[in-house]
Amino acid sequence: MILPSKHLSQDRALLTVGVGILQHLGQPKTVSAVWEELHRRGEEAQHSATPLKFDQFILALDLLFLMGAVQLDEGLLRRKKP
């Protein structure tokens, strides 16, 4: 589920979704704002046969948190600086 496989397309792998999340975090945002932007972008692109689901978004966010790539500070999601 983290990486694409025979049964999981590349655009739904958690690492790919995580990259999309990081691309939307140029500035701190709420989790809901990031979700809405990603969801809207997915609807506009419509290149994927299956739209991104909220549970996939949360799992990708969990992965980024476990990797130390993001942090939640005062209700805002931020990219962690290396």
Side-chain angles (χ1 to χ4, degrees):
M1 190 159 198
I2 295 174
L3 298 172
S5 68
K6 185 166 120 181
H7 301 288
L8 181 66
S9 67
Q10 182 177 356
D11 62 334
R12 291 298 167 248
L14 294 183
L15 278 181
T16 307
V17 176
V19 168
I21 292 171
L22 290 176
Q23 289 175 340
H24 283 83
L25 284 178
Q27 58 187 3
K29 296 178 182 173
T30 63
V31 172
S32 298
V34 176
W35 163 246
E36 288 174 13
E37 288 179 15
L38 268 179
H39 193 67
R40 189 174 341 122
R41 187 185 75 175
E43 288 177 354
E44 290 171 358
Q46 295 188 358
H47 64 277
S48 176
T50 58
L52 180 65
K53 296 179 183 173
F54 188 71
D55 59 339
Q56 295 168 323
F57 168 74
I58 293 299
L59 288 173
L61 202 53
D62 287 346
L63 179 65
L64 292 174
F65 181 76
L66 290 172
M67 294 171 56
V70 295
Q71 66 183 22
L72 192 62
D73 184 28
E74 297 181 7
L76 297 176
L77 194 61
R78 300 175 192 267
R79 284 179 86 157
K80 260 186 157 175
K81 295 182 179 168

